[in-house]
Amino acid sequence: METLTVAYVCSLAVKLYALMTPPAVLSAFISHTRGKSSLARYGIACKASLAIFITGELLFLFGSGIFAIFGFTLDAFRIGVGLLLFLTAIRLMNDEKQPMPDPHSGADISVVPLAIPLGMGPSAIGTVMVLGATARDTGDILTGTICLFLASLAMAVLLCLADPVQRLIGKTGIAIMAKLTALLLSAIAAQVIFTGIKAFLRHYKGL
C-alpha cells in the first residue's frame, strides 16, 4: 500500500465507498423500509453499515490466508477481482436488481441483502482481500481499517438521510447515481486488471 497521507486515505475511502454500490443499497433500503418508523429505519441503516464494516474488516485482516490455502497468486486474484468489478458495473448500467425479500414479511434486511451482497458484494470483497494481502505493516493495516470505517460511516449517513435524498434527487437522480457509480467501477476495474497483468508479465519474464 502507499504512504499514509490524508489524500491517500480519502481516495481509498472513496473507492471503497463506490465499491459498496451506494445507489443500489439506497434504492433497496428505500423500497423495503417504506412504511416503517424513522427509528426503525435508522436502526436498519446502522445495522447494515456495521455489518458492512465487520465483514470487510474480517476479510481485510484474515482474507490473505485464503491465498495460502488455495495457492493462487495475488496478481491472478487482482485480474479476477477486476472482472467481477466489470460485471458489477454492467449490472448497474443495465439496472439489474438483486432478489429481495418481501418488504411486508417482517424480515430483517439489514444484513442480507443490504450488507451482503449489495454493500459488500463480490467486487468489494475481492478488493478488500487484495488490500489485506498487500498490507506490509501495522500502518497499512491501520490505514485500511480507517478507510473501511469511513466508507461504512458514509453508507450509514446516506441511508439515514434516505428520505431527504429521495425527495431531493428522486428516482431519476438515484438512477443517474447508479450510472456514474458504474462508470467509476469500470475505471477501477480496468486499473486493477492492468496492474495484475503488468505484474504477471513482469514475473513471467523473470522466470
Side-chain angles (χ1 to χ4, degrees):
M1 294 174 71
E2 301 180 22
T3 304
L4 177 60
T5 62
V6 174
Y8 174 68
V9 169
C10 292
S11 174
L12 181 57
V14 169
K15 288 180 181 178
L16 290 174
Y17 182 61
L19 290 170
M20 294 173 185
T21 58
V25 178
L26 177 63
S27 178
F29 178 82
I30 291 173
S31 298
H32 291 79
T33 58
R34 189 173 290 113
K36 293 184 180 293
S37 66
S38 296
L39 184 60
R41 289 162 67 90
Y42 292 153
I44 292 173
C46 292
K47 285 175 64 178
S49 302
L50 181 60
I52 289 173
F53 173 71
I54 292 175
T55 302
E57 185 66 11
L58 288 175
L59 291 169
F60 176 69
L61 294 176
F62 305 111
S64 58
I66 297 177
F67 290 88
I69 293 174
F70 290 98
F72 48 70
T73 66
L74 177 61
D75 297 323
F77 196 73
R78 278 195 176 107
I79 295 172
V81 168
L83 294 175
L84 286 176
L85 278 172
F86 269 126
L87 292 176
T88 302
I90 292 172
R91 178 174 60 81
L92 286 176
M93 275 293 184
N94 293 334
D95 290 327
E96 296 178 17
K97 300 183 183 299
Q98 294 284 346
M100 296 288 290
D102 183 354
H104 303 295
S105 66
D108 185 359
I109 63 168
S110 57
V111 176
V112 179
L114 288 185
I116 304 170
L118 292 179
M120 190 57 65
S123 54
I125 288 172
T127 302
V128 167
M129 288 176 64
V130 169
L131 287 174
T134 55
R136 297 186 298 267
D137 51 34
T138 304
D140 287 342
I141 294 175
L142 180 61
T143 300
T145 299
I146 291 173
C147 292
L148 268 172
F149 175 77
L150 291 176
S152 301
L153 181 62
M155 183 65 76
V157 172
L158 175 65
L159 296 182
C160 287
L161 297 176
D163 285 339
V165 170
Q166 185 181 24
R167 287 195 296 268
L168 180 64
I169 65 177
K171 292 183 178 180
T172 301
I174 293 176
I176 292 174
M177 284 175 57
K179 305 303 182 186
L180 293 176
T181 300
L183 291 174
L184 178 59
L185 290 183
S186 64
I188 295 174
Q191 184 63 53
V192 171
I193 291 175
F194 291 155
T195 299
I197 292 176
K198 181 179 178 181
F200 177 80
L201 292 177
R202 187 186 303 116
H203 176 74
Y204 180 76
K205 289 179 181 180
L207 293 178

